[in-house]
Amino acid sequence: AQSVTQLDSHVSVSEGTPVLLRCNYSSSYSPSLFWYVQHPNKGLQLLLKYTSAATLVKGINGFEAEFKKSETSFHLTKPSAHMSDAAEYFCVVSGLLGGSQGNLIFGKGTKLSVKP
Amino acid sequence: GAVVSQHPSRVICKSGTSVKIECRSLDFQATTMFWYRQFPKKSLMLMATSNEGSKATYEQGVEKDKFLINHASLTLSTLTVTSAHPEDSSFYICSAAGLADLAKNIQYFGAGTRLSVL
């Protein structure tokens, strides 16, 4: 069975400082992994995805994540936080690799606050 | 990119009434739509998966007679919460995907519907 654990429910950083949102996954096979962002009153937006190609994945808005199989981690980072990055972030693992259902399993989310 | 519209964004209803939530794919054909429920400070929980023209597949523990799902066209799916009660109050989110999207595990999400049952 697949599962994903987001280690921090809330992360607070100052504008211009690095962002690290932690995610660990459990999967019986090589999974597809995603990070989604949810701004208030808006739909979930895909930031980036890992699908067994390069282990360092670059996404939108300057975010990137590194797949580390030995640590079963897929942490999300950004070198310099912007006020507009304040949102809820979800780490997601696919339920079936390439399966027709496309089932996604969500972590509990990490709320990112950015202080001026 | 693909856009999914969900309506209404917020609804307040009396206990015992039914509420319908619409999910539309605006610029692509969604062969599959998903309905999620999000509790406060918790992750999204998949309620059901619907394929156009077929009956929805419900996840374990989700009452299909309580949460009626219709996916009559490639651009519209509806979720009806029947005889709503306060415990049904939650944030409901839909997502949609075409065939090619599913192969890549990609879903496009609506903005969600906040349901409050008094």
Side-chain angles (χ1 to χ4, degrees):
Chain A
Q2 291 72 44
S3 67
V4 62
T5 302
Q6 290 182 246
L7 299 163
D8 306 295
S9 59
H10 189 194
V11 170
S12 181
V13 301
S14 297
E15 190 175 21
T17 64
V19 175
L20 170 64
L21 304 183
R22 298 183 293 165
C23 173
N24 285 95
Y25 69 92
S26 172
S27 179
S28 55
Y29 48 76
S30 295
S32 291
L33 291 159
F34 311 78
W35 275 98
Y36 280 85
V37 60
Q38 184 181 32
H39 286 93
N41 302 317
K42 292 198 174 181
L44 287 144
Q45 181 183 20
L46 180 65
L47 275 179
L48 50 81
K49 64 174 180 174
Y50 165 78
T51 54
S52 76
T55 56
L56 181 62
V57 182
K58 293 189 183 298
I60 61 172
N61 301 336
F63 284 95
E64 61 182 38
E66 186 172 7
F67 174 74
K68 291 187 176 180
K69 187 175 181 179
S70 61
E71 299 177 9
T72 61
S73 69
F74 190 58
H75 301 334
L76 181 71
T77 60
K78 183 174 180 177
S80 176
H82 191 272
M83 295 297 292
S84 61
D85 294 328
E88 189 91 22
Y89 291 80
F90 292 93
C91 183
V92 181
V93 63
S94 61
L96 293 170
L97 182 62
S100 59
Q101 286 292 325
N103 192 13
L104 299 180
I105 298 167
F106 285 75
K108 291 187 176 182
T110 298
K111 182 177 180 179
L112 175 65
S113 299
V114 182
K115 298 175 289 187
Chain B
V3 178
V4 174
S5 173
Q6 191 172 339
H7 179 80
S9 59
R10 187 178 184 96
V11 58
I12 301 172
C13 70
K14 292 183 179 179
S15 186
T17 61
S18 295
V19 174
K20 180 184 284 188
I21 302 169
E22 291 188 349
C23 182
R24 294 181 184 272
S25 57
L26 296 186
D27 51 2
F28 69 102
Q29 293 187 326
T31 50
T32 302
M33 287 189 171
F34 303 84
W35 287 94
Y36 295 84
R37 183 172 178 175
Q38 185 179 25
F39 292 95
K41 300 190 185 302
K42 298 212 173 200
S43 64
L44 279 71
M45 302 299 294
L46 180 66
M47 297 174 66
T49 303
S50 73
N51 293 298
E52 185 264 338
S54 303
K55 287 184 178 180
T57 302
Y58 290 81
E59 295 299 300
Q60 191 173 8
V62 178
E63 299 175 60
K64 61 180 181 181
D65 295 328
K66 174 75 168 177
F67 300 100
L68 299 179
I69 292 172
N70 183 280
H71 191 171
S73 78
L74 285 171
T75 58
L76 173 64
S77 176
T78 60
L79 167 68
T80 301
V81 183
T82 62
S83 186
H85 289 282
E87 58 265 29
D88 299 324
S89 299
S90 192
F91 195 58
Y92 294 87
I93 301 176
C94 75
S95 70
L99 280 176
D101 302 316
L102 285 179
K104 295 179 285 186
N105 288 307
I106 294 295
Q107 297 176 23
Y108 301 99
F109 288 82
T113 297
R114 173 77 59 195
L115 171 63
S116 300
V117 185
L118 304 178

